[in-house]
Amino acid sequence: ALVFESRSRRLPRIATADLVAPTLIVIALAPLYVVKVYDWPVQVGSDEISIMTAAERWAHRGTSDLFGLSDYLGHPALLFVAWGKLGELFGGIDLGTMRALHGAVSLLAVAASYFLFRQLMPRRWAVVAVLLLGLSHSLFMIGRLAMRETSALLVEVVALALLLRGLQHRAPFPTFLGGVVAGLGYYVYQPARSIIVASTPG
């Protein structure tokens, strides 16, 4: 990382408006994701209970292999350990805490999406795109559950934003960071487990 940072040219500063815009959007959307987390949705999903139980169990395993497989459908253990530790840090692993945490991660994904979209379009259209994403019924409803699905979205968007910034400015450091975050996607997103190996003769 130090080598890549030393080889990177100075990048353009992020405009103040591009820091204010996602902040205001997250504040405006926060009620959709974190208000009345116990009551809405009313029905508690069986997956919520299973994931909370797995997170609590793996958070207390002192000798856990973070890069091994968990006993929950073969998912990597790292994500359950992380969610379990976060849950304990913010009040305990219960329905309200875990739903609120997942909602907060969803909001972070929305904010990160702004920095991705802003590199591809003018500011006003980036704001529109992020609002469409944040107001998406599927995102804010899954984001209110005590699960871990939107962690994949957050990692993916951050990786793409960093990779795009590095490639646009031919800067090795953000490109390297984007690769690191994309590598983390192996542990939060099932299809990232697939690796295609291409070889050429000779």
Side-chain angles (χ1 to χ4, degrees):
L2 291 173
V3 170
F4 285 123
E5 197 280 331
S6 66
R7 295 176 56 189
S8 289
R9 65 181 67 181
R10 181 179 289 274
L11 297 176
R13 292 186 61 183
I14 299 174
T16 302
D18 287 328
L19 296 174
V20 172
T23 302
L24 294 177
I25 290 171
V26 165
I27 291 172
L29 294 177
L32 282 178
Y33 290 87
V34 296
V35 171
K36 289 192 173 184
V37 289
Y38 275 112
D39 304 326
W40 181 34
V42 176
Q43 183 175 352
V44 179
S46 59
D47 284 343
E48 292 183 274
I49 303 301
S50 298
I51 290 170
M52 283 192 297
T53 302
E56 185 172 26
R57 185 169 62 251
W58 280 88
H60 290 114
R61 289 192 179 184
T63 58
S64 297
D65 177 7
L66 296 180
F67 302 105
L69 298 180
S70 72
D71 52 1
Y72 181 77
L73 300 178
H75 292 309
L78 178 63
L79 195 57
F80 290 112
V81 174
W83 276 111
K85 295 294 186 184
L86 281 172
E88 291 181 339
L89 181 65
F90 289 99
I93 300 175
D94 59 27
L95 187 66
T97 300
M98 301 309 285
R99 280 184 172 182
L101 274 174
H102 196 209
V105 169
S106 303
L107 288 170
L108 286 175
V110 169
S113 297
Y114 176 85
F115 293 102
L116 173 62
F117 296 151
R118 182 67 182 91
Q119 295 179 75
L120 301 170
M121 58 188 74
R123 184 176 295 117
R124 63 178 179 176
W125 288 113
V127 168
V128 171
V130 171
L131 286 173
L132 285 174
L133 174 66
L135 292 170
S136 165
H137 177 267
S138 58
L139 179 61
F140 78 75
M141 286 307 294
I142 197 72
R144 292 182 60 92
L145 298 176
M147 296 172 69
R148 79 265 185 252
E149 272 71 11
T150 57
S151 58
L153 176 63
L154 175 61
V155 169
E156 182 179 2
V157 170
V158 170
L160 288 173
L162 286 169
L163 287 169
L164 186 59
R165 184 168 174 81
L167 293 173
Q168 281 184 338
H169 298 284
R170 297 185 180 276
F173 185 56
T175 306
F176 169 75
L177 290 181
V180 171
V181 178
L184 183 61
Y186 182 90
Y187 296 99
V188 296
Y189 186 50
Q190 288 267 18
R193 299 182 187 186
S194 300
I195 301 173
I196 299 175
V197 179
S199 61
T200 55

